[in-house]
Amino acid sequence: QSALTQPASVSGSPGQSITISCTGTSSDVGSYNLVSWYQQHPGKAPKLMIYEVNKRPSGVSNRFSGSKSGNTASLTISGLQAEDEADYYCCSYAGSSTNWVFGGGTKLTVL
Amino acid sequence: EVQLVESGGGLVKPGGSLRLSCAASGFTFSNAWMSWVRQAPGKGLEWVGRIKSKTDGGTTDYAAPVKGRFTTSRDDSKNTLYLQMNSLKTEDTAVYYCTRSVGGTLEHWGQGTLVTVSS
C-alpha cells in the first residue's frame, strides 16, 4: 500500500485535458511544497515532469502543470498527445527520517 | 549533462548479498545528496535510502523494509555511490535506481539495474 493515493487509471482523447490527483497527509503533501511528478514509459526510467508542486524542468512541455490544495496535489495535462500515454507517479518529501513517499502510480491511456 | 549509471545487479539466492554501484558525472558529486529508489516488477516506486554529502554530515537514512540489511555509501574520489544489500529476500526483487536529490526533489535518475532474488 503506497503512502500517497492516486487513481489507478485515467484516460482521455487527443486534445483533451486530464487531471491526476495525489492525496497524502499533513505529514507529507500538506507539510511541504515539495511535490513532484514523474512520467514513466514501459521499460524506461522515471522522468521528472513537475517539481516543487508547480515548476517545470527545462524541456518539459507547458502542457504539463501542477497544483496543490491541502493534502492533495494534482497534475494536469492539457492538449493530450499520444506520446503522453505512460504511467505517472506523484512523490512528496516527508521529512528528514521518512524522506520521500510515492503514490501507487496512474496509468494514462490516450484513446 | 548529468549522468547516473548503475551496475552490479543480477540473480542472487535468498539470504545472499549484492553490491550495486552508481557512477556519476556531469555535476559535483561530492556536494550531492544521493538516494536509491526501487521498483518491483509491475509495481510502483519505493524510496530505499539516502546519503547526504560529507559537508552535510554524510549521514544515511533507510526505509523500514530495508533498515538493518541495506547500507549506502559513497566514494567521492571515484564519483561513485554504492548500495550494499545483505540478507536479501524475494521481496527485494526490483529495478534499483540511483537518484540525485536537489532541494527536496529526486531530480536525476539513472537507467536502473535489475536485482532478482530467487532460489
Side-chain angles (χ1 to χ4, degrees):
Chain A
Q1 187 174 349
S2 300
L4 306 180
T5 301
Q6 299 179 232
S9 62
V10 298
S11 62
S13 299
Q16 285 186 333
S17 295
I18 62 96
T19 297
I20 301 172
S21 62
C22 170
T23 301
T25 70
S26 57
S27 297
D28 38 64
V29 175
S31 282
Y32 303 94
N33 287 324
L34 292 171
V35 176
S36 50
W37 290 88
Y38 300 89
Q39 176 191 66
Q40 187 179 36
H41 287 108
K44 301 294 188 182
K47 175 187 176 185
L48 181 65
M49 305 301 284
I50 295 288
Y51 68 102
E52 293 177 8
V53 176
N54 56 16
K55 297 179 182 177
R56 277 189 311 276
S58 173
V60 172
S61 170
N62 60 7
R63 296 185 300 106
F64 291 82
S65 62
S67 63
K68 189 185 92 166
S69 177
N71 296 338
T72 298
S74 299
L75 172 72
T76 297
I77 309 174
S78 59
L80 270 179
Q81 299 179 0
E83 66 246 35
D84 299 333
E85 186 163 292
D87 293 326
Y88 290 85
Y89 293 91
C90 64
C91 176
S92 176
Y93 184 70
S96 57
S97 56
T98 308
N99 284 265
W100 286 276
V101 290
F102 287 94
T106 298
K107 182 174 181 60
L108 169 61
T109 301
V110 180
L111 302 169
Chain B
E1 179 195 2
V2 171
Q3 282 205 317
L4 299 169
V5 180
E6 302 93 337
S7 59
L11 175 63
V12 61
K13 288 182 167 51
S17 298
L18 206 59
R19 189 178 83 155
L20 306 183
S21 299
C22 169
S25 60
F27 63 100
T28 305
F29 180 76
S30 60
N31 291 343
W33 292 26
M34 303 294 295
S35 278
W36 292 93
V37 175
R38 69 183 180 183
Q39 185 172 33
K43 301 296 184 183
L45 300 168
E46 179 186 27
W47 174 78
V48 171
R50 184 226 67 223
I51 184 166
K52 294 182 180 180
S53 62
K54 285 194 169 59
T55 54
D56 289 322
T59 54
T60 55
D61 277 318
Y62 301 95
V66 308
K67 209 164 195 174
R69 299 188 298 122
F70 289 13
T71 302
T72 187
S73 60
R74 61 194 302 156
D75 186 337
D76 291 343
S77 68
K78 295 181 178 178
N79 288 351
T80 301
L81 178 73
Y82 301 101
L83 183 66
Q84 178 67 43
M85 303 184 294
N86 299 330
S87 303
L88 281 161
K89 305 176 181 180
T90 55
E91 53 263 40
D92 295 320
T93 293
V95 174
Y96 285 74
Y97 295 101
C98 163
T99 72
R100 173 198 181 201
S101 56
V102 178
T105 297
L106 298 168
E107 188 168 289
H108 300 104
W109 297 58
Q111 86 289 350
T113 187
L114 176 63
V115 172
T116 303
V117 184
S118 174
S119 54

